[in-house]
Amino acid sequence: MSKFISVSSEDILYHVKISCQIPNVLEAIATRKIIADTAIKEDITITTEELQQAADSLRLANKLIKAEDTWAWLNKHYLSLDNFEEIAHTNLVSAKLAEHLFADKVEPFFYAHQLDYTAAVTYEVILDDEDLALEIFYALQEGEISFHQIARQYIQTPEIRRAGGYQGMRQRSDFRPEIAAAIFAANPPQIIKPIITSQGAHIIMVEEIIKPQLNEQMRVKIIGDLFTNWLKQQVKTLEIKANLEEDKNYQSSPQKSSTQIFSEAS
């Protein structure tokens, strides 16, 4: 028989507090209020059909195929059907507001920041020994060894080793600046001379440089980025004050504490 434990709303609030999550929670609440208020101001409307599609998308995103899957998910997250509809409504309002505010800014932003969206497909091995890295680099240049061979020999992580050091397709911003400069100056397929960072000596093979295209996927990403940045700026302009009802049982007394948290470090 499994044991039962009762958790109150005060327990939850206290855990959030001592986990130092209050600032993040307050920012999320403020963000939601900004979206709701701005949507009203901008006259963003939602139809019944749109809300139904948003609810279907929410179920699909959480793999809630059957009715019992949905009920189990709601119970797990302590949500009601009204809560579920509210989540779908908030998601839809956010998407429509983002489109409303930034749809006409996508094209100029893309062409002004096109370099940032350039991506590269790379393979990488990181060594501790710089001299060994140079020796391997020249051996690769001469065709004495393959990149797959050095990946199998020097990469410790099994998944990456099996993939031959494959790093996938990553945008310029995903790389350290000194590495990005070398990668995007390469003529693929090309192995770059070892780059030294705090992590070690990076031997990188650039397989492909992918120039960005303003397709629907890129358009959605740019709108999302612009909207996220706009929300962050809006939150920064606010002074958020939390009205938390304190439970005396959860209040620690500084006079009774054995830890001098306010003393200067020796």
Side-chain angles (χ1 to χ4, degrees), residues 83-146:
N83 294 147
F84 186 89
E85 184 174 315
E86 184 179 358
I87 295 170
H89 186 274
T90 299
N91 291 347
L92 181 55
V93 168
S94 297
K96 294 192 72 171
L97 180 60
E99 180 78 19
H100 174 78
L101 293 176
F102 298 107
D104 60 344
K105 296 176 175 60
V106 169
E107 189 168 340
F109 184 89
F110 172 76
Y111 289 111
H113 299 82
Q114 195 167 359
L115 188 63
D116 296 333
Y117 292 101
T118 304
V121 177
T122 61
Y123 292 76
E124 181 180 58
V125 173
I126 304 176
L127 301 176
D128 294 329
D129 190 325
E130 297 179 24
D131 292 333
L132 176 60
L134 272 173
E135 182 182 331
I136 291 174
F137 168 72
Y138 291 122
L140 287 167
Q141 293 285 82
E142 295 297 324
E144 297 172 1
I145 192 173
S146 70

Side-chain angles (χ1 to χ4, degrees), residues 98 219-229:
R219 181 179 173 279
V220 169
K221 174 175 173 52
I222 291 174
I223 287 180
D225 291 344
L226 292 173
F227 188 53
T228 297
N229 291 333

Side-chain angles (χ1 to χ4, degrees), residues 10-199:
E10 288 81 8
D11 291 325
I12 295 171
L13 175 59
Y14 182 65
H15 176 77
V16 171
K17 288 172 66 177
I18 64 172
S19 299
C20 302
Q21 296 179 42
I22 288 292
N24 292 335
V25 172
L26 293 180
E27 184 174 322
I29 293 171
T31 299
R32 183 162 52 85
K33 289 181 178 292
I34 289 168
I35 292 172
D37 292 345
T38 308
I40 293 173
K41 180 181 176 182
E42 297 295 328
D43 197 26
I44 303 297
T45 58
I46 303 296
T47 67
T48 303
E49 290 77 12
E50 288 175 329
L51 184 58
Q52 181 61 58
Q53 290 178 0
D56 292 341
S57 297
L58 182 58
R59 279 193 291 269
L60 185 61
N62 289 281
K63 298 181 175 61
L64 308 179
I65 309 301
K66 302 176 182 178
E68 51 265 34
D69 297 333
T70 302
W71 283 115
W73 187 85
L74 290 173
N75 289 331
K76 176 182 177 181
H77 295 282
Y78 291 84
L79 297 170
S80 66
L81 280 175
D82 287 341
N83 294 147
F84 186 89
E85 184 174 315
E86 184 179 358
I87 295 170
H89 186 274
T90 299
N91 291 347
L92 181 55
V93 168
S94 297
K96 294 192 72 171
L97 180 60
E99 180 78 19
H100 174 78
L101 293 176
F102 298 107
D104 60 344
K105 296 176 175 60
V106 169
E107 189 168 340
F109 184 89
F110 172 76
Y111 289 111
H113 299 82
Q114 195 167 359
L115 188 63
D116 296 333
Y117 292 101
T118 304
V121 177
T122 61
Y123 292 76
E124 181 180 58
V125 173
I126 304 176
L127 301 176
D128 294 329
D129 190 325
E130 297 179 24
D131 292 333
L132 176 60
L134 272 173
E135 182 182 331
I136 291 174
F137 168 72
Y138 291 122
L140 287 167
Q141 293 285 82
E142 295 297 324
E144 297 172 1
I145 192 173
S146 70
F147 201 94
H148 185 72
Q149 286 175 306
I150 67 167
R152 290 187 62 184
Q153 185 173 350
Y154 294 104
I155 294 178
Q156 301 300 317
T157 307
E159 293 78 9
I160 301 178
R161 182 174 64 245
R162 294 187 193 108
Y166 180 64
Q167 299 295 304
M169 184 179 74
R170 295 191 290 174
Q171 291 183 339
R172 191 183 189 96
S173 59
D174 296 326
F175 296 98
R176 298 170 66 108
E178 65 271 34
I179 292 179
I183 286 176
F184 291 97
N187 293 312
Q190 180 181 342
I191 297 174
I192 299 174
K193 189 174 181 179
I195 302 171
I196 311 303
T197 72
S198 58
Q199 291 179 295

